[in-house]
Amino acid sequence: MSLALTVADRADAAALLVAAPVAGRTAAVAALRFVRPARAGGMGADARAGATAAAIAAGIVLSLLAALVAFGLAGGVLAAAGIAAGIGVAWWIAGRLGGLTGDVCGAAIEIGETAALLAGAALLQHGVGAFPRWGLP
């Protein structure tokens, strides 16, 4: 097996590196909406005002769009994995800390992005890549 990436491999990897962060950040916005803040004056409480249903819907649409463009219908797995993992870890940690903090939001982003990257890597490993399907090299 060659260590060199082909042009298509690089394009798929680049698409994954665009799609995964969107899923992680969507998870953090959703967590802000659905998990209560730890303190009234903390970052979690301050940021919660911007976590409207419209913001969450926009994040989900952008996350799915980025993943679908990158991986076709299988990209939904990437977006769902990232969003679900990020919300899940935020809910779990917030339960242990007594509510959502800025650090919990950061953890949701990182875990969500990591889960999306792992899902995307699994898709790439099984030959589900974007750009050969779109007719690009």
Side-chain angles (χ1 to χ4, degrees):
M1 181 181 201
S2 172
L3 293 178
L5 293 172
T6 66
V7 172
D9 291 336
R10 286 187 214 143
D12 286 336
L16 176 58
L17 292 176
V18 169
V22 178
R25 279 142 183 88
T26 299
V29 173
L32 282 166
R33 175 77 175 184
F34 298 116
V35 180
R36 68 177 181 78
R39 295 179 322 203
M43 182 271 180
D46 292 344
R48 191 173 197 181
T52 63
I56 295 168
I60 290 171
V61 167
L62 288 173
S63 183
L64 283 172
L65 183 63
L68 291 173
V69 167
F71 293 95
L73 291 177
V77 172
L78 181 152
I83 294 169
I87 292 172
V89 79
W91 175 77
W92 182 74
I93 295 172
R96 299 183 67 76
L97 294 178
L100 191 81
T101 66
D103 288 338
V104 174
C105 286
I109 291 170
E110 296 304 322
I111 296 296
E113 186 171 341
T114 300
L117 286 168
L118 290 171
L123 291 172
L124 290 175
Q125 181 67 28
H126 286 69
V128 180
F131 294 102
R133 184 172 43 256
W134 292 99
L136 298 173

